[in-house]
Amino acid sequence: NTYKLQVIYDMFNLTNFLNRDWGRQYFANFDQVQILQFAGFASNSTTPQYRFTPLSSGRGYSVSDGVNTFNSSRWSSQLTFRVTF
């Protein structure tokens, strides 16, 4: 019989591991952010016009820092040992 041992190391959000300000994931709460606003119609036309308001720091969104490892701004790692025979 042949036995194999595998050692696997996975790192999630490596950029946040390198620098705590990198690799952040931002999310907007429902109905809290309005980046497009209807401004009216173009003159003598039925073409709608919209006003774009870019997000500014701290306005309507926050950093994902929850406990869900795969949807977080925190780095995490995983060490796996696998034996096959």
Side-chain angles (χ1 to χ4, degrees):
N1 288 344
T2 303
Y3 296 96
K4 290 183 182 179
L5 173 66
Q6 282 183 303
V7 179
I8 303 167
Y9 183 72
D10 295 311
M11 179 165 281
F12 306 99
N13 202 349
L14 175 68
T15 54
N16 188 253
F17 173 76
L18 298 174
N19 185 325
R20 63 180 282 185
D21 293 329
W22 298 348
R24 289 186 175 176
Q25 297 178 9
Y26 299 93
F27 70 96
N29 294 328
F30 293 111
D31 298 330
Q32 297 295 316
V33 177
Q34 184 177 8
I35 58 172
L36 283 179
Q37 183 178 17
F38 179 70
F41 292 98
S43 60
N44 298 329
S45 174
T46 58
T47 304
Q49 292 182 330
Y50 297 92
R51 185 176 303 118
F52 173 70
T53 307
L55 291 176
S56 59
S57 179
R59 187 187 141 265
Y61 66 90
S62 57
V63 176
S64 173
D65 209 12
V67 291
N68 186 351
T69 304
F70 299 106
N71 189 17
S72 175
S73 292
R74 299 178 184 175
W75 68 272
S76 62
S77 63
Q78 173 177 304
L79 184 61
T80 305
F81 295 96
R82 179 184 299 171
V83 179
T84 55
F85 49 92

